[in-house]
Amino acid sequence: MTLPSSINSVGAACAHVLRTPDPLAKLMAARAAARNWRLGRLAHRFDAALPDRPARPDAPALLPPNKMPRRGKIGSERSRIAMLHALAHIEFVAIDLAFDLVGRFGGAFPREFTDQWMQVGAEEAMHFALLDRRLRQLGSHYGALPAHDGLWQAAEETAADALARLAIVPMVLEARALDITPATVERFEAIGDMTSGRMLRRIMQDEIRHVSAGTTWFNWATNRLGVDSPNHYQMLVKRHFRGSVKPPFNDSARRQAGLTEEFYAALAT
């Protein structure tokens, strides 16, 4: 679990993760980047150009969201595999989202920002590894099914604005995962798949901390600008988010992450 010897800055390490297409190699690169940063082997420099889009493996085939086949209800093994594959793809893209956030915007924040988001990137890699392992236990693997290509649009839309990135990725997209994961867990457990249910519960606890990291640094930045955090959040979501912010909300988990109702209630549709 090492990085190329030429990589000696955190910016270059982030770019290396983004430019690595193979899922296992990206997973290992993410872990190595986070570990090298934690051990003080990477300078706090952002001196590497980041790609507009991360490198991607040949599989899965990436489709527009409206072209994705319907998964159906979690009942058959086929539908369970389809759901787990969709979640694995989300976590795979989340690896790149975390390292792009650091590499693109880390220089505008205190060093602690890099500390936190490098750890987030390592955790997203761990989540992907857990989901891919579960797929293999069920006789499948990541890449066996198509996946939708909508997730990176949020990164492209917010590539020039750190506050917009924090608002849309952790505080909308990851917060949505807090809303829907409990019901997904219940559906897995209702059909006796306790292994997948336990795994998703574990992942959700990490995601609460990821949303908290987004909210913490969003508040830090808006306080420095002297603007109202909830109002600025709502303005950025309306400007940059192509979907809708809709209930039901997991208000308890969101509160644990510092994302209180004053941020999102006015946006609910």
Side-chain angles (χ1 to χ4, degrees):
M1 191 167 66
T2 60
L3 294 174
S5 59
S6 59
I7 293 177
N8 58 16
S9 72
V10 69
C14 291
H16 175 67
V17 173
L18 290 162
R19 295 185 187 279
T20 301
D22 178 75
L24 179 59
K26 187 183 290 287
L27 165 70
M28 299 303 287
R31 288 176 169 173
R35 184 172 185 270
N36 281 15
W37 170 254
R38 188 175 67 251
L39 295 176
R41 296 172 179 169
L42 298 173
H44 190 242
R45 296 198 315 270
F46 303 90
D47 50 359
L50 301 181
D52 293 333
R53 288 182 62 85
R56 287 285 176 258
D58 293 335
L62 298 179
L63 304 176
N66 61 357
K67 299 294 185 182
M68 285 291 295
R70 296 178 68 86
R71 288 193 296 268
K73 296 181 179 179
I74 300 175
S76 67
E77 185 167 291
R78 177 177 174 274
S79 62
R80 274 194 295 155
I81 288 172
M83 173 60 78
L84 291 167
H85 191 278
L87 295 172
H89 181 65
I90 289 170
E91 298 294 347
F92 184 68
V93 178
I95 299 170
D96 288 321
L97 288 170
F99 286 96
D100 186 82
L101 177 66
V102 175
R104 195 171 299 275
F105 300 116
F109 290 87
R111 189 184 184 94
E112 291 77 14
F113 177 92
T114 297
D115 291 340
Q116 195 160 20
W117 286 104
M118 292 293 278
Q119 179 62 31
V120 169
E123 289 174 354
E124 303 292 19
M126 183 265 289
H127 297 168
F128 171 75
L130 288 172
L131 286 157
D132 186 50
R133 183 174 67 188
R134 183 61 181 145
L135 284 168
R136 292 177 187 277
Q137 290 170 349
L138 294 172
S140 187
H141 63 275
Y142 178 64
L145 299 172
H148 74 75
D149 195 29
L151 289 171
W152 194 254
Q153 290 177 355
E156 293 174 331
E157 174 67 26
T158 59
D161 187 340
L163 276 168
R165 176 67 63 84
L166 291 169
I168 304 305
V169 175
M171 297 174 71
V172 171
L173 297 178
E174 291 202 71
R176 185 60 181 158
L178 304 185
D179 302 332
I180 64 177
T181 298
T184 305
V185 169
E186 289 178 4
R187 289 199 291 271
F188 274 108
E189 293 180 343
I191 60 170
D193 189 348
M194 301 303 178
T195 300
S196 296
R198 284 193 300 271
M199 180 184 61
L200 294 179
R201 288 183 190 277
R202 174 184 176 181
I203 290 172
M204 181 173 163
Q205 290 306 306
D206 289 341
E207 299 295 352
I208 291 174
R209 290 187 288 101
H210 299 178
V211 176
S212 176
T215 305
T216 296
W217 289 108
F218 186 87
N219 287 335
W220 179 88
T222 52
N223 287 341
R224 282 176 62 89
L225 290 173
V227 299
D228 180 80
S229 291
N231 287 345
H232 199 65
Y233 170 78
Q234 292 160 20
M235 180 272 291
L236 291 171
V237 172
K238 290 174 183 175
R239 178 181 297 173
H240 295 287
F241 186 53
R242 301 182 186 183
S244 58
V245 178
K246 55 187 178 182
F249 299 115
N250 188 342
D251 295 320
S252 174
R254 284 169 173 252
R255 278 195 300 274
Q256 287 183 60
L259 187 61
T260 54
E261 290 182 55
E262 61 183 335
F263 281 90
Y264 58 85
L267 295 169
T269 58

